[in-house]
Amino acid sequence: MRILVTGADGFLGRGLAAVLAEAYPTARRLVLTDLVFAGQAPSGLETIAGDLGDQAFLEQLMAPGFDLVFHLASVPGGLAEREQDLGHQANLLAPLALARAAAATCPGARFVFASSIAVYGNLNGDTVTAETKPMPLLTYGAHKLMMETYLCDMTRRGALSAISLRFPGIVARPINDSGHGSAFMSHIFHRIAAGDVYDCPIPAASTCWWMSRKAAVSILLHAANLAEPIPTVVQPPVLHANLNAVCSAVERITGKQALMRWGNDGNLQRIFGTMPPLDATPALSIGFRADADLDTLAKAALSGD
Amino acid sequence: MRILVTGADGFLGRGLAAVLAEAYPTARRLVLTDLVFAGQAPSGLETIAGDLGDQAFLEQLMAPGFDLVFHLASVPGGLAEREQDLGHQANLLAPLALARAAAATCPGARFVFASSIAVYGNLNGDTVTAETKPMPLLTYGAHKLMMETYLCDMTRRGALSAISLRFPGIVARPINDSGHGSAFMSHIFHRIAAGDVYDCPIPAASTCWWMSRKAAVSILLHAANLAEPIPTVVQPPVLHANLNAVCSAVERITGKQALMRWGNDGNLQRIFGTMPPLDATPALSIGFRADADLDTLAKAALSGD
């Protein structure tokens, strides 16, 4: 088996890379790619640095064929909104070219795509189900939705066996990770653990969808190993909780007191802080799992998992 | 006002071109573009032949800026399914580049996009409404849906003022027009009028959505002239009728007897011949209109309108 991870030096990518050799002990090749690699890759893994938007690089990278591709590379939503050309290239044209190259060099390969709950846009308070109609409010979400549509079609005609996973903001990203509008969701873990005052941009009662990197990595691996027939788009289960409840969990895990000042950024709250409940029955029924509870989430987030 | 029509030498494009000068008597420029032009353009209209997929051509074409773009150019569904690279280029990459060039040279321009009911895919018999979730079953429909998503996002951020119109098969295309899976919908008009036996590939009771070119052109012009705030995706009203009822209308208009042999192509019937009723209230409420009735449709179809 030949496996490729894109965006492998990103937050989620590093988490996946850390367990990849263990998850696929008999893999013939385990390849990580990203624009650059800041640190060393886990042992047994090849790293190939380059830009997926560079057609020559892409062709060379993909030429050997991969049976399994985790496509995690992405320009985050806030940055993509400000830098439209960058987002267009990285979040739309590059994934299109990658998916085509994957299909051309290894027809029917499993292609696990990190989509985003940004596809939904303005949720009206009703429980999100498989019937909820996506209406993205950020270019980032529009690109993700376009890629979901594209990959569904490739799967329909057997070019790939693709699964799009709609991830929420994954916690806890490093404090200096930039470009994510949902950065506050990670900051609260780090700030409380450090005993710092945190000026959270939105109110304590704001409800978000939560997932640790550990849970996200398990979900990626589960998607990679699902037997046919596969669902083409999966909304994985998440924890649905307000910021206050998450702060309490962090207090319990760290023994520190949360020193929060709550802001009122209407735009951020509208996009990230008014998430309704989720009915993830379809994903649960095929074995996808969220973090067990908020304490488990907080523990994973703070341990760097 | 500067106006551009792409796919202007196609069936729908020629219909629009024929009324464009009359519809916009004070327009500063009326430009038609297509790969090639088989006939002469209506007087007062410029023709510029070239491939929208050729970046240099596209830039030159778009450089002056257009206040209004009708994007009709498209590789039809049957052909795009067989020739995936062609469809990818013509139905996805070229429209993406065109929309970006339109926005770059004339921010906020009205962009009228000929989308398709192929976005819906397998309808389950329930009335189609604004809530119906698109699930395309052809690459053609997937590309159209991706472009709808893209154009919605451009409109959201003010780059364009785009309207996607979900057209059914327009009748009656010339008998030699190829590549459309829905060709039978046009053939029945021509064959009955000619007194020929017609081997229709699907059964008489098959229900389709019908629209004459005359109605489609009115819908394009109405979309062009809609005041803000505009709907980003419009399902125009159509006539919902089975093949038998349409044959009867053609008999009434032509005075000929329909000599039909009905086939049983399950795939074609599933895609084109099992259309449920349509609730087009949102479009009707802002002035979009279908053909008045089947006789009006048949008359328009047979007159070449």
Side-chain angles (χ1 to χ4, degrees):
Chain A
M1 197 173 192
R2 303 153 299 173
I3 303 172
L4 175 69
V5 181
T6 76
D9 201 47
F11 177 62
L12 188 50
R14 289 194 305 272
L16 178 60
V19 301
L20 205 58
E22 193 184 335
Y24 296 97
T26 63
R28 185 143 55 90
R29 283 188 78 191
L30 296 170
V31 179
L32 309 179
T33 187
D34 210 318
L35 285 173
V36 290
F37 285 89
Q40 203 165 356
S43 87
L45 275 58
E46 297 171 50
T47 57
I48 304 179
D51 184 351
L52 298 176
D54 172 344
Q55 188 63 27
F57 171 74
L58 183 70
E59 277 172 24
Q60 197 180 353
L61 175 72
M62 300 305 289
F66 292 97
D67 310 284
L68 170 58
V69 176
F70 294 95
H71 180 46
L72 313 181
S74 194
V75 169
L79 180 58
E81 193 67 17
R82 294 190 299 276
E83 303 282 349
Q84 284 286 332
D85 288 347
L86 176 64
H88 187 76
Q89 181 59 46
N91 294 349
L92 183 59
L93 297 187
L96 286 172
L98 176 72
R100 286 165 65 80
T105 53
C106 186
R110 179 62 49 91
F111 191 95
V112 179
F113 174 57
S115 185
S116 164
I117 63 170
V119 299
Y120 292 120
N122 219 343
L123 294 164
N124 61 5
D126 292 346
T127 297
V128 172
T129 71
E131 298 312 307
T132 300
K133 212 169 151 185
M135 300 268 284
L137 286 176
L138 287 171
T139 303
Y140 175 79
H143 288 155
K144 292 290 191 191
L145 182 58
M146 292 169 75
M147 283 309 302
E148 288 185 0
T149 302
Y150 191 76
L151 292 170
C152 278
D153 186 65
M154 292 190 90
T155 299
R156 173 191 64 77
R157 55 192 170 82
L160 290 176
S161 167
I163 302 183
S164 297
L165 300 165
R166 292 179 175 170
F167 282 117
I170 308 293
V171 295
R173 292 180 178 277
I175 202 105
N176 58 354
D177 232 18
S178 63
H180 291 268
S182 60
F184 68 89
M185 293 174 65
S186 291
H187 287 174
I188 60 174
F189 291 91
H190 299 302
R191 295 298 178 86
I192 297 172
D196 291 344
V197 173
Y198 180 46
D199 283 299
C200 182
I202 67 175
S206 306
T207 51
C208 306
W209 287 6
W210 301 91
M211 185 185 285
S212 72
R213 178 163 70 172
K214 188 174 184 177
V217 167
S218 296
I219 285 165
L220 288 169
L221 292 174
H222 190 68
N225 294 315
L226 271 186
E228 306 280 354
I230 53 162
T232 51
V233 176
V234 171
Q235 174 57 63
V238 299
L239 296 181
H240 178 240
N242 67 33
L243 294 178
N244 220 28
V246 172
C247 285
S248 299
V250 183
E251 287 180 323
R252 284 192 295 274
I253 298 301
T254 59
K256 301 268 175 71
Q257 202 200 329
L259 306 169
M260 307 292 292
R261 286 193 297 236
W262 303 104
N264 209 358
D265 184 321
N267 198 40
L268 272 187
Q269 189 178 16
R270 185 173 52 85
I271 298 177
F272 301 106
T274 56
M275 293 303 288
L278 166 66
D279 174 2
T281 305
L284 288 164
S285 72
I286 51 174
F288 288 99
R289 291 292 175 265
D291 297 276
D293 52 37
L294 287 182
D295 285 24
T296 308
L297 173 90
K299 213 166 178 174
L302 290 163
S303 73
D305 276 349
Chain B
M1 198 174 190
R2 301 154 301 173
I3 303 172
L4 176 69
V5 181
T6 76
D9 201 46
F11 176 63
L12 187 51
R14 289 195 304 273
L16 178 60
V19 302
L20 205 59
E22 193 185 335
Y24 296 97
T26 62
R28 183 143 56 87
R29 283 189 78 192
L30 295 170
V31 179
L32 308 180
T33 188
D34 210 319
L35 286 172
V36 290
F37 285 89
Q40 203 164 356
S43 86
L45 275 58
E46 297 172 50
T47 58
I48 304 179
D51 183 351
L52 298 175
D54 171 346
Q55 189 62 28
F57 171 74
L58 184 71
E59 278 172 23
Q60 198 181 351
L61 175 73
M62 299 306 290
F66 292 97
D67 309 285
L68 171 58
V69 176
F70 294 95
H71 180 47
L72 313 181
S74 195
V75 170
L79 179 58
E81 194 67 16
R82 293 190 300 276
E83 303 282 349
Q84 284 286 332
D85 288 347
L86 175 65
H88 186 76
Q89 182 59 47
N91 294 349
L92 183 59
L93 297 187
L96 286 172
L98 177 73
R100 286 166 63 82
T105 52
C106 185
R110 179 61 51 91
F111 192 95
V112 180
F113 174 57
S115 185
S116 165
I117 62 170
V119 299
Y120 293 120
N122 221 344
L123 294 164
N124 60 4
D126 292 345
T127 297
V128 172
T129 70
E131 297 312 308
T132 300
K133 212 170 152 184
M135 301 268 283
L137 285 177
L138 287 171
T139 304
Y140 176 78
H143 287 155
K144 292 291 191 190
L145 181 58
M146 292 169 76
M147 283 308 302
E148 288 185 0
T149 302
Y150 191 77
L151 292 170
C152 278
D153 186 65
M154 292 191 90
T155 299
R156 175 191 62 79
R157 53 192 171 83
L160 289 176
S161 166
I163 303 183
S164 297
L165 300 164
R166 292 178 175 170
F167 282 117
I170 308 293
V171 296
R173 291 180 179 277
I175 201 105
N176 58 354
D177 233 18
S178 63
H180 291 268
S182 60
F184 68 88
M185 294 176 65
S186 292
H187 287 175
I188 59 174
F189 292 92
H190 298 303
R191 296 298 178 87
I192 297 173
D196 291 346
V197 172
Y198 180 46
D199 284 299
C200 183
I202 67 174
S206 306
T207 51
C208 306
W209 287 5
W210 302 90
M211 184 185 286
S212 72
R213 179 162 69 172
K214 188 174 183 178
V217 167
S218 296
I219 285 165
L220 288 169
L221 293 174
H222 190 68
N225 294 314
L226 270 186
E228 305 281 354
I230 53 162
T232 50
V233 176
V234 171
Q235 175 55 64
V238 298
L239 295 181
H240 177 240
N242 67 34
L243 294 177
N244 221 29
V246 171
C247 286
S248 299
V250 182
E251 288 181 322
R252 284 193 295 274
I253 298 301
T254 60
K256 300 266 174 72
Q257 202 199 329
L259 304 169
M260 308 293 292
R261 286 195 297 236
W262 303 106
N264 210 357
D265 184 321
N267 198 39
L268 273 186
Q269 188 177 16
R270 187 173 50 87
I271 298 176
F272 300 107
T274 57
M275 294 300 291
L278 167 65
D279 174 2
T281 304
L284 288 164
S285 72
I286 50 174
F288 288 98
R289 292 291 175 265
D291 296 276
D293 51 37
L294 288 181
D295 285 25
T296 308
L297 173 89
K299 214 167 179 173
L302 291 163
S303 73
D305 277 349

